Amino acid sequence: MSSEPTQNPAADEEAIGFDDLTRDIAEVPAVEVITTVAVHLMSAAAVKCGLAEGGAKDKDLDEARKLITALAGLVTAGAPEISNFHAAPLRDGLRSLQLAFREASLVPDAPGSGPGEKFTGPVYS
């Protein structure tokens, strides 16, 4: 028997125990889903702020603004549901991104007008 993949992907998944490697979404606690989504938004926003390895090459402040605003909405709405223990680091990360955005902008937004500040209030350095 060959170890090369067959022409039937479903058979290949069964052979490697694909079902054993995945987790049913029904088993995932809400706090884990919320924090995972928040971390993905933070990572994407950091890249778009030019904070990742690619630096200025990946910088796109219009995209960063959208990601930070979405993150602020999620963190603000989700915080009461996930407890302060989980929400505090998300708030810290959000604030850091808001400040990084302000620093990266050639013309900074007025306090209260930056990304996500309609949800968090003004962010000062």
Side-chain angles (χ1 to χ4, degrees):
M1 181 172 255
S2 169
S3 63
E4 293 181 34
T6 64
Q7 296 298 330
N8 184 351
D12 288 340
E13 289 178 2
E14 288 176 13
I16 62 170
F18 186 74
D19 289 336
D20 296 331
L21 300 175
T22 60
R23 210 162 90 172
D24 187 5
I25 196 69
E27 297 174 12
V28 181
V31 66
E32 188 174 333
V33 174
I34 293 167
T35 56
T36 299
V37 170
V39 168
H40 284 290
L41 288 168
M42 281 185 195
S43 297
V47 169
K48 297 300 183 179
C49 282
L51 301 175
E53 193 172 309
K57 175 179 72 78
D58 297 324
K59 187 174 174 181
D60 184 338
L61 295 181
D62 182 52
E63 291 289 300
R65 179 183 295 278
K66 294 170 188 170
L67 292 163
I68 294 168
T69 299
L71 174 63
L74 175 64
V75 170
T76 302
E81 305 300 325
I82 63 173
S83 81
N84 195 51
F85 176 79
H86 295 287
L90 298 178
R91 284 190 199 104
D92 291 345
L94 170 59
R95 184 175 187 282
S96 295
L97 285 167
Q98 289 172 310
L99 291 171
F101 182 93
R102 185 174 297 283
E103 187 175 306
S105 298
L106 294 176
V107 180
D109 296 314
S113 299
E117 291 183 2
K118 66 182 175 184
F119 299 111
T120 64
V123 175
Y124 301 98
S125 52

